[in-house]
Amino acid sequence: MSNNLIVGFSGNTTRPSSTRRFVETVTEALAKRVGLGHIVLDVEELGLSLLSARSVADLDPHARRLVETIIDAEALVIGSPTYKGSYTGLFKHVIDLLDPADLRGKPVLLTATGGGDRHSLMVEHQLRPLFAFFEAFVTPTAIYASSRDFAEGVPSPSVTARVDQAINEASLLLQHRSLRTVEAAE
């Protein structure tokens, strides 16, 4: 099923969040490029039922709808703050609730934020293998941005160039996926 949305999902656990703002920026740009709507969600919005959930069915109705929105997305923009070289635990818990088939073939653009360059490989060593397990189509370009890559919430030119490259890749994945859907319907 599809909801004709580009869904951003941020693993931040606090607000305000530079990670969420970054995911919003990338999600909006991708949605504009491909002519789809968009929504950005974060771990905070799933509420307290997430803490004891062992499956999507264990979530309260509101949280279940949010997870279904993620599953039904045309494409995902994933982002997490980096803690000790990895994504947040609650972010991983949300992903653990998904069935392995839920993200199969879904275009995914990876982002992460952190305090410094020590965490820059998190997208390659943590996020990319996680979404490869789900057989998602992850863009070749992932974006890591440290706090010094932003000036008043605006990404630096080097980060913006990587965002543009990743959006181009995600657009191609979405276009290819749309063509396959049309061919399957004929």
Side-chain angles (χ1 to χ4, degrees), residues 4-126:
N4 291 317
L5 289 174
I6 304 299
V7 175
F9 181 61
S10 176
N12 60 288
T13 56
T14 60
R15 291 189 188 149
S17 166
S18 59
T19 303
R20 182 180 169 112
R21 276 194 311 270
F22 190 45
V23 169
E24 287 171 343
T25 298
V26 176
T27 302
E28 183 178 341
L30 176 58
K32 185 176 179 182
R33 173 80 55 89
V34 298
L36 292 173
H38 69 282
I39 186 171
V40 176
L41 308 170
D42 63 34
V43 169
E44 281 277 315
E45 293 174 76
L46 295 172
L48 293 176
S49 70
L50 174 63
L51 301 178
S52 61
R54 293 189 175 175
S55 73
V56 174
D58 294 335
L59 295 168
D60 66 44
H62 172 74
R64 194 174 317 119
R65 278 191 303 278
L66 294 179
V67 171
E68 288 167 356
T69 299
I70 293 168
I71 293 168
D72 294 341
E74 288 295 321
L76 296 172
V77 174
I78 297 294
S80 180
T82 307
Y83 295 116
K84 297 186 176 42
S86 190
Y87 37 70
T88 64
L90 286 175
F91 167 82
K92 178 64 162 68
H93 184 58
V94 172
I95 302 304
D96 285 343
L97 298 177
L98 303 178
D99 183 274
D102 286 342
L103 302 181
R104 184 175 293 130
K106 187 175 303 295
V108 175
L109 191 158
L110 301 175
T111 70
T113 58
D117 294 339
R118 291 177 11 166
H119 301 297
S120 63
L121 288 176
M122 190 276 269
V123 289
E124 299 302 331
H125 292 267
Q126 301 290 318

Side-chain angles (χ1 to χ4, degrees), residues 18 22 113 145-156 159:
S18 59
F22 190 45
T113 58
S146 69
S147 50
R148 75 168 193 270
D149 290 319
F150 295 93
E152 297 179 22
V154 178
S156 69
V159 170

